[in-house]
Amino acid sequence: MLRLTELKLPLDHPEGALQQALCAAIGLRPAAVRDITIARRAWDARKRSAILLVYSVDFTVDDEAALLRRAAADKVLARTLIRTPDTRYHPVAQAPALLPQRPVVIGTGPCGIFAALILAEMGFRPIILDRGKVVRERTKDTWALWRRNQLTPESNVQFGEGGAGTFSDGKLWSGIKDPQHLGRKVLTEFVAAGAPEEILYVAKPHIGTFRLVTMVESLRAKIEALGGEYRFGTKVVDFLVETGRDGQRRMAGVVTEAGETIETRHVVLAIGHSARDTFFRLQAAGIFVEAKPFSIGVRIEHPQSIIDRARFGAFAGNPILGAADYKLVHHCTNGRSVYSFCMCPGGTVVAAASEPGRLVTNGMSQYSRAERNANAGIVVGITPEVDYPGDPLAGIALQRHWEERAFVAGGSNYCAPAQLVGDFLAGRASQSLGAVVPSYRPGVTPTDLATCLPDFAVAAMREALPAFGRQIQGFDMAEAVMTGVETRTSSPIRIRRDANFRSVNTQGLYPAGEGAGYAGGIFSAGVDGIRVAEAVGRDLAGLAVAA
């Protein structure tokens, strides 16, 4: 099978135009080209008056070698015609008949799910631990915060089956390098679990919260059918480490809050970016942890129609394009960078707190992206060298400080502090809101967000918003709403690992995903889970052979 890339057609092209364009590009009659399938579809909106669809198409012909030879002499075809890559997933190991100990996976976010799935497919029957609840029970607890101001510390947007990505836009793309096509495994498993097949070929696939819930359940059923064992409501409170005669530290097991010791030599640590108490337990166990940069800021909301018009012009509302997104960055005179984060077209701002007395925001969309507002984080990068030096866990203290300030500013009841962009730019507290109705639940309190953010972040955002308004007309509109605070953009720590994905000072511990500092979003976390599971599988299979 061959693949032709960069095949461009008008947004409103008629049915059959794709086949015609393909045949014209390769110089063959339609009867000679078979099995045409779309491998990728993106759009090019650099000219809003002439938006193009950009396709990669797979197809077969009788003599592929001849076509490739002819293409080699054509500058355009030589660049755009290739053999279709093999993106099927191939397991790297197989569990022996006798397995002395089962691997343990801690966490059931995207990283933990795919680590568990790959281990289960290789026959290693993983034990999967999660401090939270199954996804449907977790959803009820999350709604209790949104509707009744009731926080359940172990079951919320951050904790429970599906991880933080369950209550998000469900974005399934990333800029990571993936030469082994592991991302294809993530997407095909999601389709098998109930995601729409279009995620296999659209350039920026997403699935939304409601679909993610049923998909997570389906993946759990598959893992259990393959021998995996889930234990919810099981929080790990200690890590057992032994030092061998060679001086090497090795995992010996984990201890749960209920007092159970699970002996194992292989632990996948996929705990997410908000398991702060676990970070402290890791440090106490002598596992190497270091501070890493993250960002802090707010959520901003505009009418989705403004973003659509700014990005698509007369094509705004086209069903193929859907709700428009954006990606913005501004480098400030104070040396800080302000950028948009986790943009949610046609979505809502959600309460994402996981600790009592602290307030956190995030963004979420359903598959339809049909809500009236667009929202995104507008955040400022911070670094341990400048902003939280010293203790590797100092970033957690910084997060907690501003989350507590936001909690008080919002009314100490999980309502969020909010401010109009016009008031924020003018340096005055908001007394009321305007035409843009904030979507955050349980509600917002108009105030001055400068009391909930570092001074340098306030100054940087005041400089960046007008700059963003020059890129997207209306972005700095006076009645746009800002809601604070956004502190969980990424993990404040990194659990450093070696080339074999193991902790640099504790063999058998495999830090993985967003919480360990190696992913950022559903897709990259899933890919990292696969990579780590493969490393565990190779090691377990090697040990079995050696024995």
Side-chain angles (χ1 to χ4, degrees):
M1 181 167 278
L2 300 177
R3 175 171 295 176
L4 184 70
T5 64
E6 300 182 34
L7 194 59
K8 297 182 179 182
L9 291 171
L11 178 62
D12 55 353
H13 70 78
E15 187 176 355
L18 184 60
Q19 181 185 21
Q20 294 173 8
L22 169 63
C23 293
I26 61 177
L28 292 176
R29 298 188 307 274
V33 183
R34 304 181 302 279
D35 306 320
I36 299 173
T37 58
I38 298 173
R40 189 175 186 271
R41 187 189 71 200
W43 44 260
D44 181 351
R46 287 175 293 181
K47 292 183 179 180
R48 291 188 302 168
S49 60
I51 296 177
L52 299 174
L53 294 178
V54 185
Y55 291 93
S56 293
V57 181
D58 290 336
F59 61 96
T60 60
V61 295
D62 288 332
D63 193 342
E64 294 181 355
L67 180 55
L68 287 169
R69 286 194 299 271
R70 178 161 57 84
D74 183 306
K75 289 184 178 180
V76 175
L77 275 182
R79 179 172 52 85
T80 60
L81 185 66
I82 60 173
R83 290 196 181 274
T84 300
D86 181 5
T87 59
R88 296 171 296 174
Y89 182 72
H90 302 281
V92 300
Q94 184 62 42
L98 296 177
L99 188 66
Q101 289 182 334
R102 298 161 70 183
V104 169
V105 177
I106 305 175
T108 60
C111 181
I113 287 173
F114 277 93
L117 176 64
I118 297 304
L119 288 168
E121 288 184 336
M122 291 188 291
F124 289 106
R125 300 185 299 112
I127 298 171
I128 306 107
L129 311 179
D130 197 292
R131 66 196 295 167
K133 300 180 182 180
V134 296
V135 67
R136 290 196 183 270
E137 290 300 315
R138 174 197 179 197
T139 300
K140 293 177 184 178
D141 292 335
T142 300
W143 278 101
L145 174 60
W146 296 351
R147 292 174 172 172
R148 301 191 300 275
N149 308 69
Q150 296 175 0
L151 173 67
T152 303
E154 299 295 340
S155 181
N156 45 64
V157 166
Q158 309 297 347
F159 298 141
E161 186 179 23
T166 304
F167 300 97
S168 71
D169 185 51
K171 296 178 181 67
L172 296 177
W173 73 88
S174 172
I176 62 170
K177 295 180 180 179
D178 186 21
Q180 298 169 309
H181 305 291
L182 300 182
R184 189 69 176 182
K185 173 69 169 175
V186 173
L187 297 180
T188 54
E189 289 294 343
F190 276 159
V191 169
E197 288 195 17
E198 68 179 32
I199 70 171
L200 296 174
Y201 63 85
V202 295
K204 292 184 176 181
H206 74 283
I207 41 183
T209 291
F210 287 166
R211 290 185 181 229
L212 275 165
V213 169
T214 56
M215 289 162 52
V216 165
E217 291 177 321
S218 178
L219 286 163
R220 186 207 322 152
K222 181 173 183 177
I223 291 167
E224 289 177 329
L226 291 167
E229 177 187 346
Y230 276 80
R231 300 184 190 179
F232 291 100
T234 304
K235 182 169 151 182
V236 173
V237 296
D238 204 2
F239 297 85
L240 304 181
V241 180
E242 296 177 347
T243 302
R245 293 180 180 178
D246 58 359
Q248 295 291 323
R249 290 163 45 91
R250 294 180 175 86
M251 285 301 305
V254 297
V255 179
T256 71
E257 194 171 41
E260 179 187 8
T261 296
I262 302 174
E263 295 183 356
T264 182
R265 296 286 182 182
H266 295 79
V267 175
V268 176
L269 193 68
I271 54 177
H273 60 41
S274 293
R276 293 165 169 171
D277 50 358
T278 308
F279 296 159
F280 282 95
R281 294 284 186 177
L282 290 162
Q283 187 184 49
I287 294 160
F288 184 82
V289 176
E290 62 185 356
K292 64 171 278 294
F294 62 100
S295 300
I296 187 169
V298 299
R299 281 270 147 185
I300 191 167
E301 290 188 87
H302 303 86
Q304 181 63 49
S305 58
I306 287 179
I307 307 302
D308 290 344
R309 288 196 299 271
R311 298 285 279 120
F312 299 145
F315 291 99
N318 184 285
I320 293 179
L321 298 176
D325 63 5
Y326 56 79
K327 188 174 182 180
L328 300 168
V329 64
H330 177 71
H331 302 290
C332 301
T333 54
N334 68 358
R336 303 285 178 167
S337 292
V338 182
Y339 64 97
S340 61
F341 168 80
C342 186
M343 194 271 157
C344 297
T348 56
V349 179
V350 299
S354 58
E355 295 178 331
R358 300 183 176 113
L359 192 137
V360 184
T361 61
N362 198 1
M364 183 181 85
S365 295
Q366 300 301 342
Y367 176 72
S368 64
R369 290 177 166 174
E371 300 295 331
R372 73 173 73 181
N373 289 350
N375 79 80
I378 298 297
V379 296
V380 182
I382 56 178
T383 65
E385 294 80 10
V386 175
D387 301 302
Y388 42 102
D391 191 303
L393 302 180
I396 296 173
L398 187 148
Q399 288 176 325
R400 284 173 165 168
H401 171 77
W402 294 112
E403 290 169 12
E404 289 165 5
R405 295 285 292 270
F407 181 75
V408 172
S412 299
N413 58 359
Y414 298 105
C415 289
Q419 189 173 16
L420 298 179
V421 165
D423 291 335
F424 179 79
L425 293 175
R428 60 175 177 261
S430 288
Q431 303 298 322
S432 61
L433 301 177
V436 180
V437 179
S439 58
Y440 178 95
R441 295 292 177 269
V444 302
T445 301
T447 186
D448 182 1
L449 284 173
T451 66
C452 309
L453 294 165
D455 290 343
F456 65 78
V458 173
M461 290 163 59
R462 283 177 176 156
E463 180 182 325
L465 286 170
F468 292 159
R470 291 189 288 273
Q471 296 179 56
I472 297 179
Q473 186 176 2
F475 196 89
D476 57 344
M477 62 183 287
E479 293 192 329
V481 176
M482 300 165 63
T483 308
V485 290
E486 177 99 16
T487 55
R488 312 284 180 92
T489 56
S490 67
S491 179
I493 67 151
R494 177 175 289 107
I495 308 169
R496 195 187 298 174
R497 64 193 188 192
D498 62 19
N500 295 313
F501 299 92
R502 299 174 302 191
S503 162
V504 292
N505 75 337
T506 307
Q507 293 184 11
L509 181 68
Y510 293 79
E514 198 159 348
Y518 293 99
I522 294 171
F523 186 81
S524 61
V527 169
D528 200 59
I530 295 173
R531 289 173 176 159
V532 167
E534 290 181 340
V536 173
R538 289 190 186 98
D539 195 53
L540 279 166
L543 289 175
V545 170

